[in-house]
Amino acid sequence: MRCFHAAAPHAVRLFVFPHAGGNAAFFHPFSARLAPGVEVLVVQYPGRQERFHEPCVEDLHELADTVAAEIAEWAEEPYALFGHSMGATLAFEVGARLHAAGRRPRALFVSGRRAPSVPAPGSVHRASDEKLIADMKLLGGTDTRMLDNPELLAAILPAVRSDYVATETYRYRGAPPLDCPVTAFIGDVDPRVDAPMARAWATHTTDEFALHTYEGGHFFLVPHLDALVRTIAESLADSRPQAGITDSGIINS
């Protein structure tokens, strides 16, 4: 876990799950805007940044099992989950596991991703590097200077391809609906998800569901970060107090 900013005592805890090919550092501005009222903890997947030499995980269910087990002791009320793209599916799967273990999330926020029950087959993970890079450029979110640098590409492509494998081979196995509010965010010209796909998230909760649509593509959240953060902060404003994290495993930076 990466914790970029100190939180106020008893702040609500928000676990954040990056997109395919993403890393924790991408959410530094997100964390800065929510601090100190929300304690933002970003999951750092293996195979990137300080975990560069660790093998990537190509199965979202396996990754969800691992993450849920790791954060279970910190997932005490009130806590919530946020994920973008692949991270939205992972946040849901982790939330379902924690919920089944009696650790109910206060809220689930999902961004740029269709509901788990909506099939999302894909074959980009089997394509050439050139086609994989083209898909990354289509979606945005990655500095084009990095995509045009052969040395940097050689370093990041293995993790990106592994994440594409995990995303495109994911199959929803069924799970009881969560009993917390679910809020979805999408861009109006996102090539990966449209409004009906996002509204299907409503079937995964017995509580309230809301959909917020912004101008933009798959990474609409970058130009609209302030609005998205404001919605999350307002939703979490009623969270009950809790003690801060004192255990090891969170990298403060």
Side-chain angles (χ1 to χ4, degrees), residues 96-187:
R97 286 158 172 75
L98 294 174
H99 186 272
R103 297 179 181 272
R104 175 185 179 273
R106 170 166 285 276
L108 172 66
F109 303 98
V110 290
S111 169
R113 185 66 174 167
R114 65 188 73 191
S117 53
V118 178
S123 59
V124 178
H125 67 279
R126 295 195 296 268
S128 64
D129 286 350
E130 290 73 19
K131 290 185 178 180
L132 180 60
I133 294 167
D135 195 71
M136 294 172 67
K137 289 181 177 180
L138 171 68
L139 296 180
T142 304
D143 192 328
T144 54
R145 293 171 298 179
M146 181 177 294
L147 296 178
D148 293 332
N149 184 311
E151 292 184 0
L152 289 176
L153 270 177
I156 68 171
L157 275 184
V160 172
R161 188 176 293 278
S162 292
D163 287 353
Y164 268 68
V165 172
T167 302
E168 294 185 338
T169 62
Y170 168 81
R171 297 296 181 269
Y172 176 58
R173 297 176 180 174
L178 300 175
D179 61 356
C180 68
V182 173
T183 303
F185 307 93
I186 61 170

Side-chain angles (χ1 to χ4, degrees), residues 31-233:
S31 172
R33 285 166 172 77
L34 282 169
V38 177
E39 184 177 44
V40 177
L41 305 179
V42 190
V43 177
Q44 185 75 292
Y45 305 139
R48 60 217 75 199
Q49 295 191 321
E50 74 278 3
R51 304 188 68 188
F52 178 78
H53 294 292
E54 297 180 43
C56 298
V57 179
E58 297 185 344
D59 184 307
L60 282 188
H61 290 288
E62 178 185 344
L63 189 56
D65 288 340
T66 301
V67 174
E70 288 289 336
I71 71 174
E73 61 185 301
W74 302 329
E76 299 175 354
E77 286 200 59
Y79 81 90
L81 309 114
F82 171 90
H84 178 66
S85 194
M86 178 187 82
T89 302
L90 187 58
F92 166 76
E93 290 288 351
V94 170
R97 286 158 172 75
L98 294 174
H99 186 272
R103 297 179 181 272
R104 175 185 179 273
R106 170 166 285 276
L108 172 66
F109 303 98
V110 290
S111 169
R113 185 66 174 167
R114 65 188 73 191
S117 53
V118 178
S123 59
V124 178
H125 67 279
R126 295 195 296 268
S128 64
D129 286 350
E130 290 73 19
K131 290 185 178 180
L132 180 60
I133 294 167
D135 195 71
M136 294 172 67
K137 289 181 177 180
L138 171 68
L139 296 180
T142 304
D143 192 328
T144 54
R145 293 171 298 179
M146 181 177 294
L147 296 178
D148 293 332
N149 184 311
E151 292 184 0
L152 289 176
L153 270 177
I156 68 171
L157 275 184
V160 172
R161 188 176 293 278
S162 292
D163 287 353
Y164 268 68
V165 172
T167 302
E168 294 185 338
T169 62
Y170 168 81
R171 297 296 181 269
Y172 176 58
R173 297 176 180 174
L178 300 175
D179 61 356
C180 68
V182 173
T183 303
F185 307 93
I186 61 170
D188 61 353
V189 291
D190 188 336
R192 288 290 191 271
V193 57
D194 58 24
M197 295 173 181
R199 290 193 190 101
W201 279 101
T203 65
H204 295 284
T205 179
T206 59
D207 207 308
E208 297 179 350
F209 170 77
L211 173 62
H212 298 264
T213 303
Y214 301 90
E215 292 183 353
H218 195 60
F219 282 90
F220 69 90
L221 72 169
V222 175
H224 296 289
L225 186 58
D226 287 336
L228 185 144
V229 164
R230 184 164 54 250
T231 298
I232 292 174

